[in-house]
Amino acid sequence: NAGAPTACPAKFDDSLESNGIANKGAEGVTPPGVKSMAEAEITDKALRAERKKHGAPFEAEVSFIVDVNGIPQEICLMQAAGYGLDAEAARAVRQYRFEPATKDGKPVPFRTNAEIRWF
């Protein structure tokens, strides 16, 4: 899936009890730790827009689940940057690697998000 991610739902209803996915603030859960991150490239479309008038940084925000192996899954878009950058943000996030979140010493899926900025 090389295209832009789909929009996230308005609200996630995650919990280890309901759907098996921990989130920030979940009791007794150690959040995932970043092992490696990939750089999101700027697109030609964004460069052209920036030259015309944009000036401000482009920013996309994606939500995803870090699975028990530390690999991002179910990437969705919380804030679009446009100009082909949303697909580029998702491409970069798919390459991120994490130490998985843990509860009681066992890996658990964990929903988190990343803001990706250009300029």
Side-chain angles (χ1 to χ4, degrees), residues 5-71:
T6 58
C8 294
K11 179 179 178 293
F12 292 107
D13 196 21
D14 295 327
S15 74
L16 285 173
E17 295 74 30
S18 69
N19 66 355
I21 299 169
N23 56 20
K24 197 170 148 193
E27 200 170 313
V29 174
T30 303
V34 176
K35 285 178 24 182
S36 67
M37 296 174 84
E39 196 67 33
E41 303 291 325
I42 187 84
T43 61
D44 289 342
K45 219 184 235 184
L47 285 170
R48 284 193 298 275
E50 205 278 332
R51 276 198 291 271
K52 279 184 188 151
K53 63 169 171 52
H54 196 274
F58 294 101
E59 191 173 297
E61 186 173 0
V62 295
S63 172
F64 54 95
I65 296 168
V66 176
D67 73 12
V68 297
N69 298 308
I71 298 170

Side-chain angles (χ1 to χ4, degrees), residues 50 54-59 79 81 85 116-119:
E50 205 278 332
H54 196 274
F58 294 101
E59 191 173 297
Q79 177 188 323
L85 294 171
I116 294 119
R117 288 189 181 90
W118 297 264
F119 297 116

